[in-house]
Amino acid sequence: MFLLSLSIKVVLALTAVVGAWLIVFVYTGSQRGILRNFFLLHLLGIVGWSISTLATLVFESPRIAQIAFISALVLAVAKYYFVLAFPHNKLPADARTYLPLIPFFVALVAALIPGALFTSLTVVDGYYVHLENGPVAVVYLLIVVLFLTYPIYHLRKEFRHKRIKGVEREQIKYLLIGISFFFGVGLLTNSILPVFFDIYALNGIGPSFALVLAGFIIYTISRHHFLELELIIQRSLVYTVLLACIVSVYVVSVHVIGLFIQTESGITIFSSAFITTIVGIFGVPPIDRALRRVTNKFFFKHAYVYADALSRLSEITNHHLAHNDIVRDVKEALNDIFHPLFVGVETTFSTPLKPNLGVSKCDLAVSITLGNNTLGSIRLCEKLSGE
């Protein structure tokens, strides 16, 4: 039981840390709008739910348990309005949009009144909470169910709509999967089983499934440009690694120099700071470039710098005279820039090329012209990343 209790508490703490980390970087990002605000509110609900559940397990406090109910309610309402505003970053201009706020405030008031949702609380074996249902527990449950089920219904309807295509369709798909899984498990373990079947043994793990939803969101961020947070996530990873490297250099240098200089602590600190500064000046830029190149493969598979691409292709045509050399280097450059399944460069001086790897259709074809004459074409097929 001790290991189970410890594991659940560690997972709850990790959930809160991940949620807080996402809150910081979403808040400091360049993206603005109502979607971003509802997403922040949703993350705040996850953090509050996780921390209050963890604190309830530790302190066995009914007041803290009330915060868990309030946080879960905030999470559900934020997700409801997030889905309504997705993907156009605005809510429907309809008075009915705000009618669900009435049951929200009813549930909020119920959660604030001691004894309304539960009359007694007991922490069993340190890993789950047993509650005696209060007079309005079922009402609270029904209101939460309203906010949890409609987003799933709405996203499913949008996903089936013929006008939804491309990246937007992928965003909706992964958002639907994440919401369905997380809220399904959360509703089962924290509402249905406790209220109707008096089973509380699983309610400690409900908030931890927020990590699963966070995983779906991060995947959507990296592959489908969700909320345009790629730059924020990449920078946070790069700067975290750089900071860890600088701190490590300083700590190691303090210990190493301290082995040789036992009494002069000021000299040790000054020498370590000097070494760290030199390493930072000459070492951080190449490390930063290397880390960005590595993370670009995950966060910026869809992006390229037009000026750099044009400069690279122009340099190839300026440095070569032979047709075969130009074609070879242009294909290599386009492969590096776009990472497609196939690059075809066809000219009047060469035989037609066929896509390899079983690709029968190329998504992009650009003509090579000189005046009114067409000299050939460049064909790019689907990207290796699926973009």
Side-chain angles (χ1 to χ4, degrees):
M1 290 300 179
F2 172 76
L3 290 177
L4 180 59
S5 174
L6 179 63
S7 299
I8 289 178
K9 291 173 182 175
V10 168
V11 172
L12 286 171
L14 182 60
T15 301
V17 170
V18 171
W21 178 80
L22 285 174
I23 286 174
V24 170
F25 290 109
V26 172
Y27 181 77
T28 57
S30 59
Q31 182 74 6
R32 293 293 184 270
I34 198 167
L35 268 180
R36 173 240 198 192
N37 296 335
F38 284 133
F39 186 51
L40 284 171
L41 194 60
H42 167 255
L43 292 173
L44 186 63
I46 290 177
V47 173
W49 191 16
S50 303
I51 293 176
S52 55
T53 302
L54 176 60
T56 301
L57 292 176
V58 174
F59 300 107
E60 200 168 344
S61 169
R63 289 291 185 183
I64 296 177
Q66 286 180 273
I67 298 176
F69 279 96
I70 294 172
S71 299
L73 180 64
V74 169
L75 184 155
V77 172
K79 181 57 65 181
Y80 176 88
Y81 283 104
F82 178 92
V83 169
L84 283 187
F86 184 84
H88 306 296
N89 208 11
K90 63 180 181 179
L91 288 172
D94 191 335
R96 291 177 298 179
T97 302
Y98 304 98
L99 286 178
L101 290 177
I102 297 175
F104 163 72
F105 283 111
V106 171
L108 181 62
V109 171
L112 290 171
I113 299 175
L117 296 184
F118 57 91
T119 56
S120 65
L121 178 150
T122 305
V123 176
V124 181
D125 296 328
Y127 74 92
Y128 76 91
V129 180
H130 182 272
L131 301 171
E132 292 292 337
N133 294 327
V136 295
V138 175
V139 175
Y140 174 91
L141 171 63
L142 293 176
I143 292 174
V144 171
V145 168
L146 166 69
F147 287 113
L148 298 185
T149 54
Y150 182 79
I152 296 173
Y153 163 77
H154 179 75
L155 287 174
R156 185 178 177 85
K157 184 178 68 174
E158 289 292 303
F159 183 76
R160 290 182 171 183
H161 204 291
K162 292 182 179 179
R163 65 179 174 82
I164 303 297
K165 297 179 181 179
V167 172
E168 188 175 305
R169 183 178 178 83
E170 292 299 306
Q171 291 176 340
I172 291 175
K173 180 177 73 174
Y174 287 102
L175 194 59
L176 176 60
I177 293 173
I179 291 175
S180 300
F181 181 83
F182 170 61
F183 285 124
V185 174
L187 181 66
L188 179 68
T189 58
N190 287 74
S191 297
I192 296 177
L193 291 180
V195 173
F196 291 108
F197 300 99
D198 202 33
I199 298 176
Y200 292 88
L202 300 176
N203 61 8
I205 65 172
S208 66
F209 280 94
L211 287 176
V212 178
L213 179 57
F216 278 102
I217 292 176
I218 291 172
Y219 178 81
T220 309
I221 287 172
S222 64
R223 181 163 184 173
H224 302 294
H225 332 319
F226 187 63
L227 291 181
E228 300 178 0
L229 298 176
E230 299 96 327
L231 184 60
I232 301 170
I233 302 297
Q234 187 203 37
R235 283 180 177 176
S236 67
L237 291 175
V238 170
Y239 293 153
T240 299
V241 173
L242 289 176
L243 179 62
C245 291
I246 292 173
V247 172
S248 299
V249 169
Y250 180 78
V251 172
V252 170
S253 61
V254 166
H255 285 284
V256 171
I257 296 174
L259 293 176
F260 299 96
I261 305 176
Q262 299 292 335
T263 57
E264 300 292 337
S265 59
I267 296 177
T268 302
I269 295 174
F270 176 80
S271 302
S272 301
F274 178 76
I275 293 173
T276 304
T277 302
I278 297 300
V279 171
I281 292 173
F282 295 101
V284 166
I287 295 174
D288 177 67
R289 288 193 296 270
L291 289 172
R292 290 179 187 274
R293 282 198 301 270
V294 171
T295 53
N296 279 345
K297 297 177 182 178
F298 301 99
F299 294 107
F300 293 99
K301 294 179 290 185
H302 64 289
Y304 77 101
V305 180
Y306 172 78
D308 292 345
L310 183 62
S311 174
R312 183 171 176 180
L313 294 173
S314 299
E315 185 178 357
I316 292 171
T317 57
N318 289 332
H319 281 74
H320 293 298
L321 292 176
H323 164 268
N324 290 336
D325 293 339
I326 294 176
V327 171
R328 181 195 66 236
D329 288 358
V330 165
K331 289 176 63 178
E332 182 180 336
L334 293 175
N335 265 312
D336 290 341
I337 295 168
F338 295 105
H339 303 288
L341 285 171
F342 174 79
V343 175
V345 179
E346 301 177 1
T347 71
T348 55
F349 309 103
S350 63
T351 57
L353 298 174
K354 295 182 179 180
N356 55 9
L357 300 177
V359 179
S360 58
K361 176 180 178 294
C362 288
D363 299 317
L364 181 65
V366 182
S367 297
I368 306 172
T369 60
L370 180 62
N372 295 325
N373 299 320
T374 300
L375 304 181
S377 65
I378 298 174
R379 293 188 294 155
L380 296 176
C381 294
E382 183 182 0
K383 296 182 68 173
L384 289 170
S385 62
E387 305 288 344

